Amino acid sequence: MKTTLKKYIYELVQLTEQDGDCLRLTKLEGVGPITAVRLKIQLGNGEHFNSGRQVSSYIGLTPKQHSSGGKVKLGSVGKGSCDKPLRSLFFLGPEL
């Protein structure tokens, strides 16, 4: 069992090193091979997002906003309709 897991981890690292996008993502703090591959799969080339804030909101990393009358009130980071497995990878931190 351990040898197959090590084999899959090795293959994942090899694939990450071969893909330019994944390699750039792993240079971000807290992003390892698993998170980089998951981000690439979920976000694609990112053309359907207008800003980084939209990406953060999609993943579930931005605080909920409760604003009215010109007063901005930010609450806690919401779990709402986000990609929970991807979000959890960011909170778990770097892997491997």
Side-chain angles (χ1 to χ4, degrees), residues 16 19-28:
T16 304
D19 186 87
D21 294 334
C22 288
L23 197 57
R24 282 192 298 277
L25 287 169
T26 57
K27 295 186 192 277
L28 296 171

Side-chain angles (χ1 to χ4, degrees), residues 40-51 54-55 58:
K40 169 110 183 197
I41 291 169
Q42 283 299 119
L43 304 179
N45 61 3
E47 67 182 17
H48 52 282
F49 295 105
N50 294 326
S51 66
Q54 283 185 344
V55 174
Y58 173 76

